[in-house]
Amino acid sequence: MYAIRHGFGAFVSVAVLLTGTAVAAEVRAAPAPAEEAPAAAPADEKEDFGASCRTVVQGSTVTAHCQNPYPRTDRIRLHVECERWWDVDSDSAPVEVAPADYGSVTGRCWKEVRSAWITHQPADGTPDPTPVRGS
């Protein structure tokens, strides 16, 4: 009687598992409800920006070549991480790449380069927050 009860429990467990799988597949296969596309993009969506960059490592020198296909200026920085613990990692000064323009940034280590990457930041036209003193 004990073996029959456990056998029946296993059968019920498998049946529940298969039913749940079938229901999940049914839900996944169901088409999404039709929604109308908005007439205009929401105002809080940011437009695309970000120059496409390619980095070249030659010995201990890293050069990043970037091209900006977007209508917004991109501020790029090159970050170089050196392999040796005593070698100083470096971050470049920001370089602005205007729309449809190219830019390149160079960095280096004393010995081997472990990794290098580019960070992007939108260059908005807001003025410098430092106050201007009148005469």
Side-chain angles (χ1 to χ4, degrees):
M1 183 70 174
Y2 181 74
I4 294 174
R5 205 173 331 148
H6 281 292
F8 181 72
F11 176 75
V12 170
S13 297
V14 169
V16 168
L17 180 65
L18 291 176
T19 304
T21 304
V23 169
E26 192 76 24
V27 169
R28 211 173 308 135
E35 293 181 10
E36 285 188 35
D44 53 335
E45 275 190 27
K46 305 241 183 221
E47 68 181 41
D48 291 331
F49 90 98
S52 59
C53 298
R54 129 184 107 76
T55 57
V56 178
V57 178
Q58 293 177 328
S60 62
T61 304
V62 179
T63 305
H65 304 280
C66 300
Q67 190 268 333
N68 186 5
Y70 297 109
R72 192 169 175 190
T73 302
D74 184 16
R75 186 175 293 136
I76 60 169
R77 292 183 73 172
L78 174 65
H79 307 277
V80 180
E81 184 177 345
C82 302
E83 183 68 37
R84 309 292 175 127
W85 65 268
W86 46 264
D87 206 345
V88 179
D89 299 340
S90 64
D91 299 325
S92 74
V95 173
E96 291 190 358
V97 181
D101 201 4
Y102 291 91
S104 53
V105 185
T106 303
R108 68 179 305 269
C109 294
W110 283 98
K111 292 280 187 174
E112 303 88 11
V113 174
R114 176 180 292 169
S115 63
W117 65 94
I118 300 289
T119 55
H120 303 267
Q121 178 183 16
D124 42 0
T126 58
D128 190 14
T130 56
V132 178
R133 296 192 176 164
S135 50

